[in-house]
Amino acid sequence: VTGVRDSTESKSRGHYVTIRVMDYERLDPEKYLNDSLIDFWMQWISRHEPKNSTRFHFFTSHFFTKLMKDGYQAVQSWTAKRGINIF
């Protein structure tokens, strides 16, 4: 995590998630969490898991959206790269 950034920066770059001011404001009461916050949380809870572990794998929140919209073929390469068969 690189800290709080302004809204002009990208939200993620592969292995880390950038939390911007507008993301941070989503933590206020009565606000919904966004993809950046959810992706950050998934990375945070898995931070002590060995990188080569096959016990757990966290995809970005975009994975489910892509799966539902375009079908398993759209994300099949995502799982194949990791040797994970969820289909």
Side-chain angles (χ1 to χ4, degrees):
V1 176
T2 59
V4 177
R5 304 287 179 136
D6 68 48
S7 62
T8 61
E9 290 196 46
S10 64
K11 71 176 185 173
S12 78
R13 290 186 186 143
H15 64 282
Y16 67 93
V17 177
T18 299
I19 303 298
R20 300 171 290 174
V21 171
M22 63 186 277
D23 300 322
Y24 183 76
E25 291 169 351
R26 305 296 280 158
L27 296 172
D28 290 340
E30 312 270 331
K31 299 280 185 170
Y32 292 104
L33 299 177
N34 64 15
D35 289 342
S36 294
L37 293 171
I38 292 169
D39 290 345
F40 170 79
W41 178 250
M42 289 190 296
Q43 286 190 17
W44 189 83
I45 62 174
S46 66
R47 71 192 181 281
H48 296 300
E49 194 66 28
K51 296 294 180 200
N52 296 330
S53 172
T54 57
R55 232 175 113 200
F56 300 102
H57 183 77
F58 294 89
F59 289 104
T60 67
S61 57
H62 179 65
F63 177 86
F64 184 74
T65 303
K66 189 77 170 164
L67 175 64
M68 292 290 98
K69 181 180 176 194
D70 300 325
Y72 79 92
Q73 298 89 349
V75 296
Q76 194 171 19
S77 67
W78 299 17
T79 58
K81 290 176 188 175
R82 300 286 185 176
I84 301 167
N85 183 6
I86 63 170
F87 304 108

